[in-house]
């Protein structure tokens, strides 16, 4: 799976390198906004103002992985003496690694769950949102290219109640579509995952009593489910299994050449996942003072209803001034010029209001307890 990600990042390499050269010639405050709503902010740190050196380690969200790999490559041209490493493993692993001090930052697609709060006793966690994207309902049905689904049907598929693709509930949403009697195979995550947490949260919010499995980073799925590690693992199951459906982030679904459904949103419209429909959802969400928010089931006629966000988590109080400087440099890059990498990687940039709030919060790193 790691090889696939490396190839994916390498495929974006030409664009990344070209963009890096452009970014080195100008500040983000003087450049145009990337498509998708990010303005670049009034002050967009790139880490180029002062030289930093050393090593930063991060782990966690596989949703972020391709972006992190591309950003690390581009950032190296800005700060050649700072080495940044990022491993996947899922949001749960990232939070565990951060709590234990194994890494300097953790990629997480969900906030710290209450059951993990004790791991951070005495520590203040800062949330820096870095990327927005849709969770696709990717499926493998020969001859079916324009599938429509709603939350109730998705709940029925993933709790095992809907067993074949020609089920009346699916047919009712897809008039005129020839649906086969192929058995349904659900593809899910095997690891503790923010994608799972956000997908299941969508079902809690949108399906109501039709969904009984709750929301968490891990779910007790039906015994017939097939589980894969990371978004890439789920994508591979869907791609290789006729009749499969899985929840896969948009970037991985596109990279794997998967077909995905349009999903009925809160306004009652069937919306396809895209960077534009993810941005629409993010623009309609409410951001809390600690920069936590949820784009799931956001209002708006153009909002894709299973849009999620991913943060880089850091401990506020750092013991080393060099680590403080390094974190500010790299996170500043992700929140500034790094945002311009996102559209070509099939992610959505942060809306400008969220981007500016996150940039302002960089000053908190190294202060407090």
């Amino acid at each position: 799976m790691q090889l696939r990600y490396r190839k994916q990042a390498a495929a974006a390499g030409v664009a990344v390198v070209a963009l890096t050269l452009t970014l080195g010639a100008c500040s983000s405050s003087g450049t145009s906004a990337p498509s998708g709503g990010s303005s670049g902010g009034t002050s967009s740190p790139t880490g180029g103002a002062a030289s930093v050196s050393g090593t930063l380690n991060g782990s966690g969200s596989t949703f972020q992985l391709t972006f992190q790999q591309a950003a690390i490559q581009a950032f190296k041209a800005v700060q050649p003496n700072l080495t940044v490493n990022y491993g996947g493993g899922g949001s749960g692993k990232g939070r565990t690694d951060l709590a234990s001090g194994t890494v300097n930052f953790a990629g997480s697609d969900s906030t710290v769950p209450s059951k993990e709060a004790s791991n951070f006793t005495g520590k203040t966690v800062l949330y820096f949102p870095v990327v927005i994207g849709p969770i696709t309902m990717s499926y493998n049905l020969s001859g079916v290219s324009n599938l429509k689904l709603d939350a109730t049907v998705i709940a029925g598929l993933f709790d095992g109640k809907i067993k074949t693709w020609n089920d009346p509930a699916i047919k009712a949403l897809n008039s005129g579509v020839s649906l086969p009697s192929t058995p349904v195979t659900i593809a899910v995550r095997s690891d503790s995952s923010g994608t799972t947490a956000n997908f299941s949260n969508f079902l809690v919010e949108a399906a109501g009593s039709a969904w009984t499995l709750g929301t968490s980073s891990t779910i007790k799925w039906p015994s017939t489910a097939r589980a894969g590690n990371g978004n890439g693992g789920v994508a591979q199951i869907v791609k290789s299994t006729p009749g499969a459906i899985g929840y896969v982030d948009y970037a991985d679904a596109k990279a794997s050449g998967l077909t995905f459904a349009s999903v009925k949103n809160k306004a009652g419209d069937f919306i396809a996942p895209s960077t534009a429909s993810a941005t629409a959802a993010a623009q309609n969400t409410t951001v809390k003072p600690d920069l936590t928010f949820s784009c799931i089931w956001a209002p708006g006629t153009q909002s894709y209803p299973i849009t999620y966000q991913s943060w880089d988590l850091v401990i506020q109080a750092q013991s080393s001034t060099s680590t403080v400087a390094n974190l500010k440099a790299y996170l500043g890059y992700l929140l500034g010029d790094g945002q311009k990498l996102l559209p070509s990687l099939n992610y959505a940039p942060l809306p400008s209001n969220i981007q500016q709030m996150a940039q302002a919060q960089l000053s908190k790193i190294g202060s407090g307890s």
Side-chain angles (χ1 to χ4, degrees):
M1 187 183 81
Q2 295 296 330
L3 179 59
R4 186 184 68 79
Y5 276 114
R6 293 191 189 102
K7 288 181 178 178
Q8 202 176 332
V14 174
V16 169
V17 171
L19 183 57
T20 300
L21 295 174
T22 301
L23 298 181
C26 58
S27 70
S28 64
S29 59
T31 56
S32 59
S35 60
S38 180
S39 71
T42 57
S43 157
S44 182
T46 65
S51 179
V52 290
S53 62
T55 301
L56 286 178
N57 293 311
S59 67
S61 165
T62 61
F63 171 42
Q64 283 189 36
L65 185 56
T66 300
F67 172 47
Q68 288 284 352
Q69 289 175 332
I72 287 168
Q73 178 186 348
F75 181 69
K76 197 68 175 175
V78 179
Q79 291 285 4
N81 296 320
L82 178 55
T83 298
V84 182
N85 303 306
Y86 184 84
S91 297
K93 182 181 186 302
R95 294 190 300 267
T96 298
D97 289 347
L98 181 66
S100 66
T102 305
V103 297
N104 305 108
F105 68 96
S108 181
D109 310 331
S110 57
T111 58
V112 176
S114 57
K115 64 183 179 181
E116 296 179 20
S118 61
N119 297 339
F120 293 93
T121 299
K123 302 174 182 177
T124 298
V125 176
L126 297 177
Y127 292 86
F128 291 92
V130 292
V131 64
I132 306 290
I135 300 173
T136 69
M137 291 290 94
S138 291
Y139 64 94
N140 184 340
L141 281 179
S142 179
V144 180
S145 58
N146 296 300
L147 190 68
K148 295 179 179 179
L149 299 173
D150 64 13
T152 302
V153 167
I154 294 170
L157 288 164
F158 280 85
D159 69 9
K161 291 186 176 68
I162 295 178
K163 300 183 183 300
T164 62
W165 280 103
N166 62 349
D167 186 279
I170 304 177
K171 292 174 70 173
L173 298 176
N174 294 274
S175 177
V177 177
S178 179
L179 292 165
S181 59
T182 308
V184 173
T185 298
I186 59 170
V188 301
R189 289 285 287 270
S190 61
D191 50 328
S192 178
S193 158
T195 310
T196 300
N198 282 280
F199 172 60
S200 57
N201 185 44
F202 160 72
L203 292 172
V204 168
E205 293 283 336
S209 60
W211 178 248
T212 60
L213 301 185
T215 179
S216 179
S217 297
T218 56
I219 297 287
K220 188 175 181 180
W221 301 106
S223 60
T224 54
R226 292 188 58 188
N229 186 62
N231 276 292
V234 178
Q236 184 56 41
I237 293 170
V238 174
K239 188 169 186 175
S240 62
T241 310
I245 183 169
Y247 54 95
V248 183
D249 79 277
Y250 182 70
D252 276 285
K254 291 279 285 185
S256 297
L258 301 180
T259 302
F260 31 79
S262 294
V263 181
K264 192 175 184 178
N265 68 10
K266 197 169 187 176
D269 299 304
F270 287 93
I271 301 295
S274 68
T275 56
S277 61
T279 294
Q283 289 171 336
N284 284 292
T285 193
T286 300
V287 184
K288 296 179 181 178
D290 64 356
L291 300 190
T292 62
F293 58 93
S294 175
C295 299
I296 293 293
W297 203 231
T301 59
Q302 299 303 311
S303 297
Y304 181 71
I306 326 178
T307 294
Y308 71 145
Q309 60 293 312
S310 196
W311 295 271
D312 283 343
L313 278 53
V314 302
I315 303 301
Q316 181 171 341
Q318 298 286 330
S319 59
S320 164
T321 56
S322 62
T323 302
V324 171
N326 291 345
L327 284 168
K328 287 182 177 180
Y330 183 60
L331 292 177
Y333 181 81
L334 295 182
L335 293 167
D337 290 337
Q339 291 290 299
K340 299 177 180 66
L341 304 176
L342 290 167
S344 66
L345 300 171
N346 293 309
Y347 298 99
L350 299 171
S352 60
N353 65 313
I354 299 177
Q355 180 189 27
Q356 291 169 25
M357 292 170 69
Q359 289 173 341
Q361 185 174 251
L362 288 169
S363 63
K364 292 185 178 181
I365 301 175
S367 65
S369 58

